[in-house]
Amino acid sequence: MQATLQKQHQWLDKLIGEWNYESECQMEPAQPPSKFKGTEIVKSLGGLWIIAEGQGETPNGEMGSTIVTLGYDPQSDRYIGTFVCSMMSHLWLYNGSLNETETVLTLDTEGPSCTETALAKYQDIITFVSNDHRILTSQILGEDGNWHQFMTGHYWRKS
C-alpha cells in the first residue's frame, strides 16, 4: 500500500511552517465581533498529509487547542481531512477542492448548528494571499439557502 505523491499533495506543502494568526468571529448578529490571536505549527506526514496544531485564545476569552489534518485522495479527486478542538466534542470531517488558480481550498463539512439540535452545513475556506499570508474564512449555510460568514482569520508565516 505505497501511495504515490500527486501534485495535489505538494500543494499542501504551502501550509507547512509556523504561523501567527488573528481572527474575528461573530456568532450573534446583534453582538460585536470577538477578536482573538494564536499560533499554529503545520508539519508534513510523509508528504501525503499535513497536521496543523494550533494554540490560542477562543472567542470566549479562554485558551484552546486545535488539530487539523488535510490530505488528498486521488480516488475521489478531493481534499479530505479532519478538525478537532478542545472546546467541542464534534469531529469535523472535511471534503473539498481547489479552485482553478489553486489559491483557494474550499472544505465542506457538517457540524452542530448554533440554533438547532440538527447538523448544519459549513465551509472552511483557505485562501492564499501570498506564500506568507493566508486567510481562513468560515461560513454556515443558513435556512434561507445562503452562506453566512461568521469567522475570518489572517495567518502570517513566522518561519
Side-chain angles (χ1 to χ4, degrees):
M1 291 183 32
Q2 183 64 30
T4 303
L5 288 175
Q6 310 284 319
K7 73 173 189 162
Q8 294 88 342
H9 293 112
Q10 294 170 345
W11 184 89
L12 294 168
D13 291 345
K14 295 169 59 167
L15 295 163
I16 296 171
E18 295 184 31
W19 301 81
N20 289 322
Y21 68 82
E22 294 180 7
S23 295
E24 187 171 286
C25 181
Q26 185 157 14
M27 298 306 286
E28 301 288 330
Q31 299 291 324
S34 300
K35 296 183 180 187
F36 47 100
K37 298 178 183 183
T39 60
E40 183 180 66
I41 297 173
V42 182
K43 299 177 183 178
S44 175
L45 182 62
L48 295 170
W49 297 90
I50 60 96
I51 300 171
E53 295 186 55
Q55 299 283 325
E57 303 165 344
T58 65
N60 64 6
E62 298 176 8
M63 293 301 290
S65 299
T66 60
I67 298 177
V68 173
T69 64
L70 284 177
Y72 174 74
D73 177 14
Q75 290 180 332
S76 65
D77 192 27
R78 303 286 289 174
Y79 284 87
I80 56 174
T82 61
F83 171 83
V84 292
C85 66
S86 61
M87 297 78 68
M88 63 179 68
S89 60
H90 184 74
L91 172 65
W92 300 79
L93 300 175
Y94 285 135
N95 187 324
S97 61
L98 278 174
N99 69 343
E100 287 185 22
T101 62
E102 297 184 357
T103 56
V104 180
L105 176 61
T106 301
L107 299 166
D108 297 310
T109 189
E110 288 187 338
S113 170
C114 296
T115 58
E116 301 174 13
T117 57
L119 293 179
K121 293 187 182 300
Y122 290 86
Q123 288 183 328
D124 281 349
I125 302 166
I126 301 169
T127 303
F128 271 91
V129 178
S130 71
N131 286 334
D132 298 324
H133 179 207
R134 62 184 162 99
I135 300 170
L136 172 64
T137 306
S138 296
Q139 55 188 19
I140 185 171
L141 185 62
E143 293 176 10
D144 60 2
N146 294 314
W147 289 102
H148 300 279
Q149 182 178 320
F150 62 88
M151 198 276 302
T152 302
H154 287 265
Y155 290 70
W156 291 277
R157 188 181 302 278
K158 287 173 42 177
S159 62

